[in-house]
Amino acid sequence: MSELTKLKISEARDALRKGDVTAVELTEACLSAIDGAGALNAFVHHTPEIARAQAAAADQRIKAGDAPSLCGIPLGIKDLFCTKGVPSQAASNILGGFKPEYESTVSSQLFDAGAVMLGKLNMDEFAMGSSNETSAYGNAVNPWRRGNDDTALTPGGSSGGSSAAVAADLCLGATGTDTGGSIRQPAAFTGITGIKPTYGRCSRWGIVAFASSLDQAGPMTKDVRDAAIMLQAMCGHDPKDSTSADLAVPDFEAMLTGDIRGKKIGIPKEYHMDGMPAEIDALWAEGRKMLQDAGAEIHDISLPHTKYALPTYYVIAPAEASSNLARYDGVRYGHRAKLAHGDGITEMYEKTRAEGFGEEVKRRIMIGTYVLSAGFYDAYYNKARKVRTLIKKDFEDAFAAGIDAILTPATPSAAFGLGEMQDADPVKMYLNDVFTVTVNLAGLPGIAVPTGLDKQGLPLGLQLIGRPWEEGDLLNTAYALEQAAGFVSKPAKWW
Ligand code: GLN
């Protein structure tokens, strides 16, 4: 049975349609894999009853010859997505006990396409973090280990439960969200594929907001084809999210031809960072060669404002977060602090927020309210907005000059040890996103593809950045890179 969970979405889809396996069998295999993987702490709320009911319904649809793309495919859903009647806590104590009355647009689209929900996945609290260590549930663990020791490693963040679950074959695919890199960095740390689509491709309705001008949902899967299949079901216009684009969604899977001849690939010189491990540089050079061998034209380009991206992100994201998180006041959702005799409403707010939010979330709220305060608004927030426009313009100039996609490393290192950054300056953790935040600031699609192993046997990924709304083309370039890299390694099972 356990072999079933190793199937890719595309393989399972074909097997289900042929009648080689049923959705119920596939779902049971995933549920038992999840039961056996408690050590990974990837699933934090289990929904076996929902999974079994959805699987049985999927089998009926398949029998009736009415099987949509994800019919009977077992998925994990990041805890940031509101799922009706199921705890949706954004890995925060402040949302303890919160069970939404509604379903997020993205998860309901997945269910309409026949997907089966196995449960909710661990993440950093409110999606703030790069290691899953800010989670109120405790961190998820990377199924990969260094070849020479058994140090527990981070699965990345914030979508660390999603990456761990997919890499460990607990589910066939998972949803993630990406505000500054939270799909791509955990995908790279666990040897899987993750795409953040163009801002506005997926509805944000029903996804707990972190930084609304940057947040996007996307799939985390075992390969590029699966990403295309799952993304297709996730995107589309939603009248309930005014920033979701009213654009047709092309057939992404049909665009995977692997033919990238004549495509112009940009290699931005600013992504060469001082102190970057030689292995990452070597991987990047290999990726360049792979795309060239596949017939693409390689161009060295410049994105001059890259160095301002991280500081810009760490003004804009906390500013928006401080505003979004003002709604958690002990009145409307989840946790409310126990009050002492004589406490009024102010004490209720203060005590609830002091108890409910973790350290990193409090840090972001404080930074956010500071940069938005009357005296500093122009110096920080307005300045950051201006710089963001320049960062976006760098990409627009590159695309206007004919560049189709940009190749960069996905992360500046392989997965690091859990606890390793505990006493470090928080900025060291923020540096994880140095290659990914630019993409969110510019609203572009970006994909991380596993392309190699480091000398300790850990996966490393490359990132491709595409033109807005051209996810199909981006997926095809990623597909060509995937074919050339031939990454097939899997973590050795220890859990
Ligand atoms: N790691 C980044 C942060 O902490 C990005 C998080 C995300 O994309 N949700 O803000």
Side-chain angles (χ1 to χ4, degrees), residues 196-199 395 399 438-446 465-468:
K196 179 202 90 76
T198 312
Y199 181 81
F395 285 104
F399 294 137
T438 50
V439 177
N440 302 74
L441 289 167
L444 301 171
I465 304 167
R467 294 165 175 264

Side-chain angles (χ1 to χ4, degrees), residues 46-90:
H46 299 244
T47 56
E49 300 81 17
I50 294 177
R52 290 188 174 114
Q54 287 175 329
D59 280 330
Q60 290 302 322
R61 288 180 85 173
I62 294 167
K63 248 200 224 137
D66 154 42
S69 61
L70 292 172
C71 203
I73 302 294
L75 302 177
I77 304 292
K78 187 177 181 179
D79 199 36
L80 202 65
F81 292 77
C82 287
T83 44
K84 191 173 178 187
V86 174
S88 305
Q89 275 183 241

